[in-house]
Amino acid sequence: MRLIVKYLIRFYQKYLSIFSYGSCRYYPTCSEYAVWQFENNTFFKAIYFTIIRILKCNQLFEGGFDYPIIKLAKHNNINYKKIKIKYWYIPIKNNRYLVLKNREWNNNNEQL
């Protein structure tokens, strides 16, 4: 289910969001927020938080920066090989973390 929803969101981002370019009041955009939620939360939590975010994306709310907040389970399987970091988890309180996406750079230090 997660994979199907992520493909639908990516389809929306690529083909449908061009008709409403720049209309999201938040950063990251609501569709990118949804992708981050599906990659870092369970399916039902991601659906819940995505719906709440979409309902807040109107003129009644101020907008601004609204990063996903997740609760991480402790992992004991640490691998010390070279890794590619996709998300940064910034601790806030009570075992809750802000999720920030890592930017990719090419060899000339230009952002992709």
Side-chain angles (χ1 to χ4, degrees):
M1 286 300 291
R2 291 170 119 182
L3 192 59
I4 293 171
V5 173
K6 282 175 41 179
Y7 280 128
L8 290 173
I9 293 170
R10 292 293 184 200
F11 176 81
Y12 166 79
Q13 287 177 330
K14 189 169 185 176
Y15 298 109
L16 301 178
S17 69
I18 58 173
F19 298 116
S20 65
Y21 181 77
S23 65
C24 190
R25 302 178 65 82
Y26 289 100
Y27 179 82
T29 63
C30 294
S31 57
E32 193 64 29
Y33 180 90
V35 170
W36 293 8
Q37 283 288 352
F38 281 103
E39 289 178 352
N40 292 293
N41 264 332
T42 64
F43 179 77
F44 292 109
K45 279 186 180 180
I47 289 285
Y48 173 77
F49 288 122
T50 301
I51 290 171
I52 295 297
R53 170 68 179 271
I54 291 171
L55 291 175
K56 290 191 318 184
C57 193
N58 60 50
Q59 291 81 17
L60 299 176
F61 293 89
E62 188 175 333
F65 292 98
D66 183 24
Y67 291 102
I69 297 176
I70 63 167
K71 186 173 183 179
L72 284 179
K74 294 187 179 188
H75 298 288
N76 292 330
N77 54 350
I78 297 173
N79 191 352
Y80 291 102
K81 294 180 182 177
K82 187 175 180 180
I83 60 171
K84 182 177 179 182
I85 297 174
K86 187 171 184 179
Y87 292 104
W88 292 98
Y89 300 108
I90 301 171
I92 47 178
K93 61 179 177 181
N94 296 336
N95 200 21
R96 297 203 182 273
Y97 297 83
L98 282 175
V99 178
L100 298 176
K101 191 168 187 177
N102 193 23
R103 296 288 182 200
E104 295 182 17
W105 299 85
N106 63 13
N107 291 339
N108 298 330
N109 286 338
E110 296 175 0
Q111 189 172 357
L112 297 177

